[in-house]
Amino acid sequence: MALDLIPRLANELGIRPQQAESAVRLLDEGNTVPFIARYRKEVTGGLDDTVLRNLSERLSYLRNLEKRRQEGFALIEESGKLEGKELEQLRAALEKAQMLSEIEDLYRPYRPKRRTRASVARERGLEGLAHFLKEQRPGSDLQREAAKYVDPDKEVPDTAAAIAGAGDILAEELSDSARLRGQLRDYLQKNAQISTTTGTKENEIYQMYSEYSESIRKIPSHRVLAIDRGEREEAIKVNVEADHEHCVQMVERELVRKRSLFAKELRAVCADSFERLIFPSLTRELRAELTERACKQAIGVFSENLKNLLMQPPVKGAVTMGFDPAYRTGCKIAVVDPTGRVLDTAVVYPTPPQKKTEEAAQKLRALIKKHAVSAIAIGNGTASKESEIFVAELIRTLDVPVSYMVVSEAGASVYSASKLAAEEFPQYDVSLRSAVSIARRLQDPLAELVKIDPKSIGVGQYQHDMPKNRLDAALGGVVEDCVNTVGVDANTASFSLLSYVAGIGPALAKNIVAYREENGRFTSRKALMEVPKLGKKAFEQAAGFLRVPESDNPLDNTAVHPESYAASKKLLALCGFKSGALREGGLTQLSARVSELGEEKVARELEVGLPTLRDMVAELLKPGRDPRDELPPPMLRSDLLELSDLKPDMVLDGTVRNVVDFGAFVDIGVHQDGLVHISRLCDRFIRHPSEVVRVGDVVKVKVLEVDQKRKRISLTMRDL
């Protein structure tokens, strides 16, 4: 009964069947998504990493679905409850089922059940009476038939007990009907409401849910997750409401015939089946489906935010001061050079209770002058506002240009106390490690943030409510794609960064670092093959994403894969360039010469596909390029505003810090992020804020309203 998954994958993802088939084959052969996306474009027809990850996830789901389909049919077949035509009809229905819920509905009547009222009635011999009731033959006498089943020894003392037991059997049969469950599920999905009331524990956060109701069909994902959390915290009670009378009538159409002599008894059976069995079961399903959909949406938003955060352009070439704010224990300072190496550290006390502002200013002026600091990164945690005021005032007194930026310190404390940080900075205490991390986040967000559990980075919503394995897999995939898009210097990359390179993983990353420490820098990509347990397959997957700037072969510092080195050299010769032209940077006319010769002709000559040729030309034109450099740089500030300075209609520049289902939070330099509601992001209709903005974007906003008491700022990006 194995079904062909390729057509379904192609249809769902909007790709050609050949593309789906090629991608599945490459994945099954053990190739990584980044490798396939970058170096097997000809095979897949140019599928990118996002489509490939969706395909991989969907393939896993469909294979599990197929496994469940096969298992269910095998168990039914083994039970002997069906045979012949009925068994074949069930097989056909199972093959037609497209969702797990459909398969479970079909399998439901045959799976082993715990002891129920219906099973007790069967044990008491009432199945025959149930069939009699169900047949509803004209002229039948229910009381006379029920009398035949009265047996005090079997706990059936009278005809009423017999009829009740038979009704229990019919009620369970109705609840097991795949067709009826499907009809009712569809009706509830379209018409049911989810409602909430105040729970047993007061919590102001859930005040809006004290008397709340919304259509299940329309409720947005973020409200589903809020309701789920409120219910877990016992702050609210949740119900699913529907027109029970209409639903019971749907059940009656399944059982009660026109002019049935037993209409009264059977209607009671239908009402019991719906209220006691079907509705509670479907309610659980509907809630689970809502949560599943909401989790998928939240994970998608989190993944997109994380990608945009990790791919923010680095602030290159700047000696940077990391400023980790605090009150009582003082602000921790770390100065790092453009490569992230720690040059100096200090502790200053410009914030309450000490407020040694002048002493702190003198220390920082000395550090800035000594190390030629040009950028200051301030953590956005406790005492950040006071620290930002102090830094802005300090900058005004300097005779050299220095800018600052408030950076998210989410996860910094977790990293600082980790084993990884202890190994990296054994000479510093936890708080100074945090200051180093804050400085490096400004210099190279990707290299620093990969050291932190993605859930702790702070650009999602309800991330701690997500299924851990699914969230970890999705976010891990995002980090992997970002790391491999940028590329990694094999001689300087941390263990954390190396572990995300395609084909490497944590074990090989440790081996690479250990080999590097013992034998010195790698002098070529090929030298990586000397690392213990880094075999041919791992090298094939990883080589194109690892850079070796020190290599005698300049191709080792590009994204050109070693398998294409011969083709690259042939390309240069074909276009009339000398072998040393790549190192000397004299390939500015390469693209023009390829166009003159004709792309297709050149590709045939090199025996490569057009996508590989185009990627090769792009890399040879800009060896060692960083794709993040093509994005707008982050916004550095030299002054700040107070919340009290904000007035309606003020137009300001800001940086998008987080994108959620209902809008975007923007840092406008007052320590408190403002909210641009989804309705105020642009003049056209959009389904999600990510269609307009992304984390890290520098945007122009107008102040609509400032709530000083609640520290809330309402912004708009419309009508500017």
Side-chain angles (χ1 to χ4, degrees), residues 104-119:
E104 293 300 334
D105 281 351
L106 290 165
Y107 176 54
R108 186 183 182 90
Y110 310 102
R111 70 183 181 194
K113 287 185 173 69
R114 59 181 175 78
R115 190 173 170 83
T116 64
R117 280 165 48 171
S119 63

Side-chain angles (χ1 to χ4, degrees), residues 568-578 582 587 590 620:
S568 298
K569 291 172 183 174
K570 191 174 180 180
L571 171 65
L572 294 179
L574 192 65
C575 293
F577 293 103
K578 294 179 180 178
L582 178 58
L587 298 178
L590 177 61
L620 296 177

Side-chain angles (χ1 to χ4, degrees), residues 666-680:
V666 179
D667 171 13
I668 53 174
V670 294
H671 184 62
Q672 187 69 40
D673 290 346
L675 173 65
V676 183
H677 190 267
I678 184 171
S679 62
R680 293 174 178 142

Side-chain angles (χ1 to χ4, degrees), residues 647-692:
K647 299 288 183 276
D649 295 328
M650 285 180 72
V651 176
L652 304 163
D653 289 324
T655 303
V656 177
R657 292 298 179 202
N658 200 5
V659 178
V660 293
D661 289 342
F662 52 85
F665 289 97
V666 179
D667 171 13
I668 53 174
V670 294
H671 184 62
Q672 187 69 40
D673 290 346
L675 173 65
V676 183
H677 190 267
I678 184 171
S679 62
R680 293 174 178 142
L681 282 168
C682 63
D683 292 321
R684 59 186 173 84
F685 172 77
I686 55 172
R687 294 188 179 279
H688 197 273
S690 59
E691 296 175 38
V692 179

Side-chain angles (χ1 to χ4, degrees), residues 32-42 47-49 52 484-485 544-545 547 558-561 611-612 614-616 618-619 625:
T32 61
V33 166
F35 176 78
I36 298 170
R38 174 74 192 194
Y39 299 112
R40 292 297 179 262
K41 290 178 180 177
E42 288 89 348
L47 298 182
D48 64 23
D49 49 17
L52 286 166
N484 291 287
T485 296
F545 305 112
R547 312 281 187 266
T558 70
V560 176
H561 197 281
T612 296
R614 289 165 184 159
D615 286 347
M616 201 184 301
E619 283 300 317
R625 74 187 179 95

